[in-house]
Amino acid sequence: MALEEYRKKRNFKETPEPTGKEKGSSRSAKPPIFVVQKHQATALHYDFRLEIEGVLVSWAVPKGPSLNPAEKRLAIQTEDHPIEYANFEGVIPKGQYGAGTVMVWDNGTYDTEPQDSAPKQLAQGELKFTLHGKKLRGRFVLIRTGLKSSGSRGQRSWLLIKRQDGYADRSWNIDRYDWSVLTGRSLEEVAAGVSVDEGPGRLRIQESP
Ligand code: MN
């Protein structure tokens, strides 16, 4: 895990995204975090990120995560992101990598069983975890589907699937959850630069999804 690819893709004089410090071990005693960012780039998608060994291991999920176990979501693994990226919400300027609007759609902590087995499970291509978020809760699995024979591109394909438990929701519709868990703003409000104080969505943070 390293941030070279992340840094190489970005011009930090132009983009407000974090450069990322050198990875430290200061967070290692705490439960690892996850974040999901709704990203209106060329195409709308959701970036699903899990803290593993000091970075946010990342997948782009075109349709976004689902609480419906019947919906298998394609997840394309992308470059690792710095931990500080979990708090990034705003606009990446035109012409820059990933240009468009980024909203912190969900966040929280997660566990794997056994504890701290995420690096091993990631390498094996099957990662079972439990999310403790505001919108996403319960057990999930990420399964790598790309075969070695299909080249490095194929190896980046995974499926994100909700497992059966009390948080499963057959009527899940992600469009009902268009607010930031940081600021309560909709994606449109983030794009328009509506300030956090005047954001009409402010109170939605308290709302139980
Ligand atoms: Mn993205």
Side-chain angles (χ1 to χ4, degrees), residues 150-171:
S150 59
S152 61
R153 203 185 162 86
Q155 285 185 62
R156 300 205 128 195
S157 294
W158 297 64
L159 290 173
L160 174 63
I161 308 164
K162 179 76 189 77
R163 293 152 75 201
Q164 279 299 350
D165 62 15
Y167 296 107
D169 177 6
R170 297 254 161 205
S171 65

Side-chain angles (χ1 to χ4, degrees), residues 106-119:
D106 197 16
N107 62 16
T109 61
Y110 78 97
D111 337 293
T112 49
E113 281 173 51
Q115 223 186 332
D116 302 324
S117 63

Side-chain angles (χ1 to χ4, degrees), residues 58-60 62 73-78 125-126 142-148 150-160:
S58 298
W59 291 262
R73 297 303 205 204
L74 175 66
I76 308 294
Q77 193 175 356
T78 58
E126 185 170 330
L142 266 165
I143 301 169
R144 189 165 54 213
T145 58
L147 301 172
K148 283 201 157 72
S150 59
S152 61
R153 203 185 162 86
Q155 285 185 62
R156 300 205 128 195
S157 294
W158 297 64
L159 290 173
L160 174 63

Side-chain angles (χ1 to χ4, degrees), residues 116-129:
D116 302 324
S117 63
K120 191 178 168 202
Q121 293 193 54
L122 182 73
Q124 290 173 344
E126 185 170 330
L127 191 50
K128 289 181 173 163
F129 52 94

